[in-house]
Amino acid sequence: NFEPRRGAAVPTYHASATAPLLYLPVRGGGDDPVVAWLADLDRVTDHAPGSKLSQNDLREWMRGHPGHRSFSVLRHPLARAHSVFCHRILSIGEGSYAGIRTTLKKRYHLPLPDDPSDAAYDVVAHRACFAAFLGFLKSNLAGQTAVRVDPDWASQLKTVEGFAEFVLPDRLMRQETMTHELAELAAAVGIVDAPALSDAKPDDPFGLHEIYDSEIESLARAAYGRD
């Protein structure tokens, strides 16, 4: 395993302003519905729950919230990789990685379109491009490329190991069951009227279900075997 170690990215953690809940996110491209859920829990509409905190700030929050619970959400590695691909690599809009996108096209020969909204970029082209990205991820996570291992596509194993340098999550949830698990977690700290969890925005321009096959599965397993 040659993937670089990841430290505790404390400024990315989200501390509830009203409840003893601390969310440790595993990044993966796109909007995170759990952050919005925490904001709804805090009745906040104009900004996210406490984030960009220093380690000292977060320790102070912990002391001020005895019995706090920390939690994180794990996602299927293939679904996560596809979301990252659509939001960070394929997209040319806000939040995309323009520099890495150019490198992947020129140096690693990913058949990325200049404009993903072009009608010529169909589902067949999307599958071929995503398959090439999965091949790149295998090499990238093995330390065989000059491109950084970005937190958005670093293995979830390394991310969780990084949590442990500051605080271990009390609960690890799976994305497909987090709706009722978040309600259970809220109830465990005395919140009986927890808000509903909003749906995440779908991947654009094509969903994973439109391109999934055994080859895509094999490529994802090769890249994320430990996840």
Side-chain angles (χ1 to χ4, degrees):
N1 178 27
F2 297 101
E3 184 181 349
R5 183 181 65 84
R6 309 208 74 83
V10 172
T12 69
Y13 301 170
H14 297 271
S16 171
T18 61
L21 295 176
L22 175 63
Y23 174 46
L24 316 177
V26 176
R27 286 175 48 175
D31 296 329
D32 188 341
V34 181
V35 176
W37 179 83
L38 270 182
D40 290 342
L41 189 72
D42 290 341
R43 309 296 196 270
V44 173
T45 58
D46 58 347
H47 64 278
S51 61
K52 298 183 179 178
L53 303 174
S54 68
Q55 292 194 11
N56 287 337
D57 291 336
L58 197 48
R59 290 191 181 96
E60 184 176 343
W61 179 90
M62 290 176 170
R63 287 191 291 269
H65 294 79
H68 59 268
R69 306 290 178 88
S70 56
F71 69 99
S72 190
V73 177
L74 303 178
R75 193 174 183 186
H76 191 285
L78 180 52
R80 177 171 172 256
H82 186 258
S83 181
V84 171
F85 173 71
C86 291
H87 287 91
R88 301 299 191 202
I89 305 301
L90 179 62
S91 171
I92 56 176
E94 183 180 358
S96 62
Y97 291 166
I100 293 179
R101 189 181 199 277
T102 299
T103 299
L104 293 180
K105 286 184 68 174
K106 291 184 177 180
R107 185 167 182 176
Y108 297 98
H109 308 297
L110 262 70
L112 289 162
D114 292 332
D115 183 359
S117 64
D118 192 319
Y121 185 75
D122 58 12
V123 68
V124 175
H126 185 74
R127 184 200 172 282
C129 203
F130 179 56
F133 178 66
L134 289 174
F136 161 77
L137 286 182
K138 178 183 178 182
S139 299
N140 180 252
L141 295 175
Q144 297 173 352
T145 74
V147 178
R148 70 173 185 262
V149 178
D150 191 82
D152 271 23
W153 61 70
S155 69
Q156 295 176 96
L157 174 69
K158 288 296 184 183
T159 302
V160 173
E161 287 179 351
F163 293 158
E165 295 192 7
F166 184 80
V167 58
L168 277 170
D170 294 298
R171 186 159 183 167
L172 286 174
M173 306 177 185
R174 291 179 181 267
Q175 185 189 42
E176 59 267 27
T177 58
M178 69 178 177
T179 298
H180 75 262
E181 289 199 66
L182 285 172
E184 291 173 359
L185 183 65
V189 295
I191 301 171
V192 296
D193 59 344
L197 182 69
S198 301
D199 293 332
K201 293 181 180 178
D203 294 337
D204 183 64
F206 301 104
L208 178 61
H209 66 281
E210 297 179 79
I211 61 170
Y212 178 81
D213 58 23
S214 59
E215 182 185 4
I216 293 293
E217 176 73 22
S218 296
L219 289 169
R221 285 181 177 272
Y224 288 107
R226 302 189 77 191
D227 276 358

